[in-house]
C-alpha cells in the first residue's frame, strides 16, 4: 500500500512554500505598477515602472515554475508507487531555483543603467528581453535545474513498458521543458532574428510545454480527487497533448507577423493558432465528466475550486481571448496594447497559477499529516482571486479598446495628453480589482502556510447545500447545460473578435468608434460575467451532493487504488 508521507516527497513542500512567497511579492509588484498607471510620478527615479513591470513578469514565471515542480515531485511517487530518485539533487534544485530568483530580482535594475555584463559576446548579467531578462549566467543554471528535474522524474517512473498516458505526458513535458529552453540560451545581435527565437521559448515553452504538463497534472489530480478511471483520464491526456503540439508548432507563427518574416506566416500562423483552443475545450469537457460521472462527494473543496478555475480560465483567457488576437487583421490592432494583458493575465495566472495553488491545497494537508482542516478560508480566497482577476481583465480589455481606437486608429500621440485621460477610469479600475485580488491572495497564502498550525482546533465543514429540493441553481449539472454555458462563452468571444476586426472599417478610420465600442461593450462584460456564473453554477451543483465521507488524509489509499486500477 502506498504511503503518503514519503520522506523524499516532503521535499515538494519547499517548492510550494517558495511558490507562495514569490506569489505574494508578484501580486504586490503588480498592484504597485497598477497604481503607477494612475500616477506615473509614483516612485519615479526610485522604482521605475519598467523595472517593476519586469520584476512582476519574471516573478510570475518563477512562482508558477515553483508550483509546477512541487506538484510534479508530489505526484511522481503516487503515479509510480515508488520514492523520488536522487533527493540530494532535488535539494540542489531548490537552492538553484532560489538563487536564480534572487539573481533575477537583483539584476533587473542593471537594465536602467545599461549594464549587461558582456563577455564572449553574451550578456551574462542581464539581457533585457521580455520574459527572458535574466542574463546568461542565470540561463545556464536554469538549464541545469530543468535537466535535474527531468532526470529525477524519469528515474522515479517505472520501466517504460509500465507507463500510461499520464507518465508519457509528464515525461514529454519535463524533457521538452529542458530542451526548448536552449533557444533562450544564446544571444543574436539582429533584433528581428532574436525575436524569432525568443518566441520559440515564450510560445513553445510556456504555451506548449507548460500546457502538456498542465493537462497531465490536471488529469492525475482528478484521478486522486474523484477516483476517476485512469484509462479514461489517460485517453483525454493523450488527445490533449497531441492537439497542443499539433496546433502549437505552426501556431507559433502568429508571433511572427510583425518581425519581418515572410508574408505566408500570416495565413498559416492565423490558421493553426485558431486551432489552439481545441485541446483547451477537450480539457474543459473532461473535467466536467470526471467531476460528475459518479457524483462523488467533494472532499477537498479548495483544491477542486482552483482546478476548476484553472481549466475555465484556460478556456477563457488562453482559448477565447487568445483566439480573438491570433489573426493578422486583429493582431495588428491589439498587439502591444492593453487588450493583450487582458488575455495574458487570465491565461497565465488562470491556467498555470491556479493549478499550482490547487495542488498545494491537495498536497500540503497530506504532507503535514493534517487529517481535517477548515475549508472556508480556501473557498473565500478562491472567489476573491477569481472575481478580482476577472475584474482586472475587464479593465484591461475595455481600456485597451479605447487605446486601440485613439492610439492605433486615430494615431493620437501617447504622450500628447489625449489618450491618458480617455483611459483614466479604467486605469483606476485595475488597482481597485487588484485590491480584491490581493485580499484573496493574502488569505490563501495565510491559509496554506498555517494549515498544520490551525488544524487541531478546526473542523472541516460538510457540504453546504443538502436540501431535499436543492433548487434550480444547485441541481445536478448535466452535459447539455454545461455545453450551453461553453457555447455562450464562445458567442461573447465572437463579439470580441468582430469588435477587433471592425477597426479595419473605413468608418472607424474616419473617427467613428461606435461599432468596436458596442461590440467590446457586449463581448467583454458578457464573457467575464458568464464565466463567473458558470463556475458558481458548477460548484453549487457539486456542493449539493451528500457530505463527503473520508477526510483528505485518507486519499493516500484512494490514490493507490486509483493508480492500481
Amino acid at each position: 500500500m502506498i504511503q503518503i508521507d514519503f520522506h523524499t516527497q516532503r521535499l515538494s513542500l519547499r517548492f510550494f512554500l517558495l511558490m507562495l512567497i514569490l506569489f505574494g511579492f508578484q501580486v504586490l509588484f503588480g498592484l504597485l505598477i497598477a497604481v503607477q498607471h494612475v500616477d506615473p510620478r509614483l516612485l519615479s527615479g526610485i522604482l521605475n515602472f519598467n523595472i517593476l513591470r519586469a520584476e512582476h513578469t519574471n516573478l510570475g514565471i518563477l512562482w508558477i515554475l515553483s508550483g509546477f515542480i512541487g506538484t510534479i515531485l508530489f505526484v511522481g511517487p503516487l503515479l509510480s508507487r515508488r520514492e523520488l530518485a536522487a533527493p540530494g539533487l532535488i535539494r540542489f534544485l531548490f537552492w538553484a531555483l532560489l538563487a536564480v530568483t534572487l539573481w533575477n530580482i537583483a539584476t533587473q535594475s542593471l537594465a536602467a543603467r545599461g549594464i549587461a555584463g558582456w563577455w564572449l559576446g553574451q550578456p551574462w548579467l542581464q539581457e533585457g528581453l521580455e520574459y527572458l531578462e535574466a542574463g546568461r549566467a542565470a540561463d545556464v543554471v536554469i538549464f541545469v535545474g530543468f535537466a535535474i528535474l527531468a532526470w529525477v522524474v524519469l528515474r522515479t517512473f517505472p520501466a517504460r513498458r509500465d507507463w500510461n498516458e499520464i507518465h508519457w505526458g509528464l515525461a514529454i513535458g519535463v524533457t521538452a521543458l529542458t530542451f526548448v529552453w536552449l533557444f533562450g540560451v544564446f544571444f543574436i545581435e539582429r533584433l528581428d532574428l532574436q525575436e524569432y527565437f525568443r518566441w520559440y521559448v515564450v510560445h513553445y515553452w510556456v504555451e506548449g510545454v507548460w500546457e502538456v504538463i498542465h493537462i497531465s497534472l490536471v488529469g492525475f489530480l482528478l484521478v486522486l480527487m474523484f477516483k476517476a478511471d485512469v484509462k479514461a483520464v489517460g485517453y483525454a491526456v493523450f488527445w490533449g497533448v497531441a492537439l497542443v503540439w499539433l496546433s502549437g508548432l505552426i501556431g507559433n507563427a502568429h508571433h511572427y507577423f510583425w518581425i519581418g518574416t515572410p508574408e505566408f506566416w500570416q495565413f498559416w500562423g492565423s490558421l493553426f493558432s485558431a486551432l489552439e483552443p481545441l485541446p483547451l475545450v477537450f480539457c474543459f469537457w473532461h473535467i466536467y465528466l470526471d467531476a460528475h460521472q459518479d457524483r462523488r462527494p467533494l472532499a477537498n473543496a479548495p483544491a477542486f475550486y482552483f482546478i476548476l478555475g484553472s481549466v475555465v480560465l484556460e478556456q477563457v483567457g488562453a482559448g477565447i481571448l487568445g483566439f480573438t488576437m491570433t489573426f493578422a487583421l486583429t493582431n495588428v490592432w491589439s498587439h502591444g496594447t492593453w487588450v493583450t494583458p487582458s488575455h495574458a493575465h487570465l491565461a497565465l495566472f488562470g491556467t498555470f497559477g491556479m493549478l499550482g495553488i490547487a495542488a498545494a491545497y491537495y498536497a500540503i494537508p497530506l504532507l503535514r499529516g493534517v487529517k481535517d482542516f477548515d475549508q472556508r478560508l480556501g473557498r473565500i480566497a478562491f472567489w476573491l482571486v477569481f472575481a478580482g482577476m476577472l475584474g482586472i481583465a475587464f479593465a484591461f480589455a475595455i481600456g485597451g479598446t479605447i487605446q486601440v481606437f485613439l492610439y492605433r486608429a486615430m494615431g493620437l500621440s501617447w504622450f500628447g495628453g489625449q489618450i491618458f485621460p480617455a483611459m483614466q477610469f479604467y486605469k483606476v479600475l485595475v488597482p481597485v480589482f487588484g485590491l480584491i485580488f490581493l485580499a484573496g491572495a493574502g488569505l490563501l497564502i495565510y491559509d496554506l502556510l498555517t494549515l498544520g498550525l490551525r488544524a487541531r482546533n478546526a473542523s472541516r465543514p460538510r457540504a453546504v447545500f443538502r436540501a431535499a429540493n436543492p433548487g434550480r441553481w444547485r441541481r445536478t449539472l448535466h452535459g447539455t447545460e454545461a455545453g450551453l454555458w461553453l457555447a455562450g462563452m464562445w458567442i461573447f468571444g465572437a463579439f470580441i473578435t468582430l469588435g477587433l476586426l471592425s477597426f479595419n472599417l473605413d468608418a472607424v478610420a474616419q473617427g467613428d468608434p461606435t461599432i468596436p465600442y458596442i461590440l467590446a461593450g457586449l463581448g467583454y462584460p458578457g464573457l467575464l460575467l458568464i464565466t463567473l456564473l458558470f463556475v458558481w453554477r458548477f460548484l453549487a451543483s457539486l456542493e449539493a451532493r451528500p457530505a463527503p465521507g473520508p477526510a483528505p488524509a485518507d486519499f493516500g489509499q484512494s490514490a493507490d487504488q486509483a493508480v492500481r486500477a
Side-chain angles (χ1 to χ4, degrees):
M1 185 67 67
I2 194 169
Q3 296 297 321
I4 276 293
D5 57 346
F6 283 159
H7 174 68
T8 55
Q9 201 177 21
R10 289 183 180 275
L11 294 171
S12 64
L13 264 178
R14 298 185 179 186
F15 292 92
F16 283 128
L17 296 179
L18 179 61
M19 175 194 78
L20 294 174
I21 294 171
L22 298 182
F23 175 48
F25 278 105
Q26 195 230 1
V27 174
L28 291 174
F29 279 133
L31 187 60
L32 190 55
I33 61 177
V35 176
Q36 285 183 328
H37 267 296
V38 179
D39 183 4
R41 298 167 300 179
L42 180 68
L43 298 178
S44 178
I46 303 173
L47 286 174
N48 291 331
F49 176 86
N50 60 330
I51 302 300
L52 285 175
R53 182 186 178 278
E55 299 282 13
H56 176 70
T57 303
N58 280 270
L59 283 174
I61 294 172
L62 289 167
W63 79 259
I64 288 172
L65 275 176
S66 299
F68 266 11
I69 295 172
T71 307
I72 292 169
L73 295 179
F74 172 76
V75 305
L78 294 177
L79 185 59
S80 305
R81 300 199 295 273
R82 55 197 292 183
E83 291 196 21
L84 285 168
L89 286 178
I90 298 172
R91 294 185 182 92
F92 173 80
L93 175 61
F94 172 80
W95 291 111
L97 181 60
L98 182 60
V100 166
T101 301
L102 295 175
W103 175 279
N104 210 38
I105 293 173
T107 56
Q108 291 301 330
S109 61
L110 297 177
R113 300 194 293 273
I115 300 174
W118 290 100
W119 182 54
L120 298 178
Q122 297 292 311
W124 290 89
L125 299 179
Q126 204 273 348
E127 59 184 310
L129 296 174
E130 188 178 23
Y131 302 113
L132 304 176
E133 282 93 349
R136 198 62 63 242
D139 289 343
V140 172
V141 175
I142 292 171
F143 176 77
V144 173
F146 289 149
I148 290 173
L149 177 65
W151 189 83
V152 168
V153 169
L154 295 177
R155 281 291 305 275
T156 301
F157 283 176
R160 273 194 293 273
R161 63 178 178 274
D162 298 323
W163 286 13
N164 57 34
E165 291 84 353
I166 301 175
H167 285 103
W168 279 105
L170 285 177
I172 292 171
V174 296
T175 303
L177 193 72
T178 304
F179 285 102
V180 173
W181 180 252
L182 287 173
F183 290 107
V185 189
F186 56 86
F187 186 83
I188 302 173
E189 291 186 3
R190 277 183 52 185
L191 183 59
D192 58 344
L193 193 57
Q194 180 65 57
E195 279 292 287
Y196 182 87
F197 286 108
R198 184 177 75 89
W199 282 114
Y200 270 53
V201 180
V202 176
H203 183 96
Y204 292 148
W205 199 59
V206 176
E207 300 179 42
V209 174
W210 285 21
E211 287 283 0
V212 170
I213 296 174
H214 174 266
I215 291 171
S216 304
L217 291 178
V218 166
F220 192 64
L221 287 172
L222 292 175
V223 169
L224 296 178
M225 296 190 68
F226 294 104
K227 302 179 185 177
D229 181 63
V230 176
K231 293 182 179 179
V233 172
Y235 177 82
V237 168
F238 169 80
W239 282 107
V241 170
L243 290 171
V244 162
W245 283 99
L246 172 67
S247 60
L249 288 175
I250 299 178
N252 185 31
H254 78 260
H255 296 296
Y256 297 165
F257 296 162
W258 323 117
I259 60 172
T261 51
E263 190 173 309
F264 68 82
W265 282 124
Q266 294 193 10
F267 171 78
W268 290 107
S270 296
L271 176 63
F272 279 85
S273 289
L275 298 177
E276 288 186 38
L278 288 179
L280 311 185
V281 172
F282 201 84
C283 186
F284 173 93
W285 196 252
H286 210 275
I287 194 175
Y288 163 78
L289 295 177
D290 292 331
H292 285 84
Q293 63 172 347
D294 294 324
R295 293 182 54 81
R296 295 187 183 278
L298 192 59
N300 189 328
F304 182 76
Y305 275 36
F306 281 98
I307 289 177
L308 179 65
S310 171
V311 174
V312 170
L313 290 188
E314 176 187 48
Q315 179 64 213
V316 174
I320 297 175
L321 294 184
F323 175 86
T324 65
M325 293 181 287
T326 58
F327 305 100
L329 291 175
T330 58
N331 193 269
V332 67
W333 300 107
S334 64
H335 194 82
T337 68
W338 266 30
V339 175
T340 301
S342 174
H343 146 73
H345 278 74
L346 289 178
L348 193 64
F349 170 76
T351 306
F352 306 119
M354 277 196 165
L355 175 64
I357 297 170
Y361 263 112
Y362 187 88
I364 289 178
L366 297 175
L367 296 176
R368 286 182 170 173
V370 178
K371 297 182 178 180
D372 210 6
F373 70 100
D374 189 342
Q375 300 181 12
R376 289 172 295 183
L377 290 181
R379 286 185 171 101
I380 295 171
F382 167 80
W383 285 114
L384 287 173
V385 298
F386 190 73
M389 184 53 69
L390 290 177
I392 291 170
F394 167 79
F396 275 130
I398 300 298
T401 303
I402 296 171
Q403 180 187 7
V404 168
F405 174 70
L406 295 176
Y407 186 41
R408 293 277 165 82
M410 293 291 94
L412 297 181
S413 171
W414 180 260
F415 298 102
Q418 300 98 333
I419 301 176
F420 188 91
M423 296 176 62
Q424 184 67 9
F425 176 72
Y426 300 99
K427 287 177 178 287
V428 173
L429 276 186
V430 173
V432 169
F433 286 114
L435 287 172
I436 297 174
F437 187 88
L438 176 65
L443 192 60
L444 74 88
I445 291 171
Y446 166 79
D447 190 31
L448 286 169
L449 289 179
T450 60
L451 268 181
L453 303 176
R454 295 180 291 107
R456 295 179 181 176
N457 299 320
S459 61
R460 176 169 48 87
R462 299 299 179 183
V464 178
F465 308 119
R466 286 180 291 176
N469 183 12
R472 294 175 61 87
W473 198 251
R474 298 167 185 169
R475 71 188 186 282
T476 300
L477 179 67
H478 294 290
T480 302
E481 183 189 351
L484 291 174
W485 283 102
L486 178 61
M489 295 177 190
W490 277 97
I491 289 172
F492 285 113
F495 282 122
I496 296 169
T497 305
L498 292 173
L500 288 171
L501 286 171
S502 69
F503 282 107
N504 296 289
L505 297 174
D506 290 338
V508 178
Q510 293 170 9
D512 183 4
T514 302
I515 295 178
Y517 280 11
I518 289 176
L519 290 172
L522 291 172
Y524 289 113
L527 174 62
L528 300 176
L529 181 60
I530 198 173
T531 301
L532 184 67
L533 292 176
F534 170 69
V535 171
W536 186 5
R537 170 74 179 95
F538 196 115
L539 294 175
S541 72
L542 264 65
E543 293 282 13
R545 297 176 180 179
D554 297 329
F555 272 74
Q557 297 180 5
S558 301
D560 184 46
Q561 295 166 2
V563 173
R564 289 180 185 277

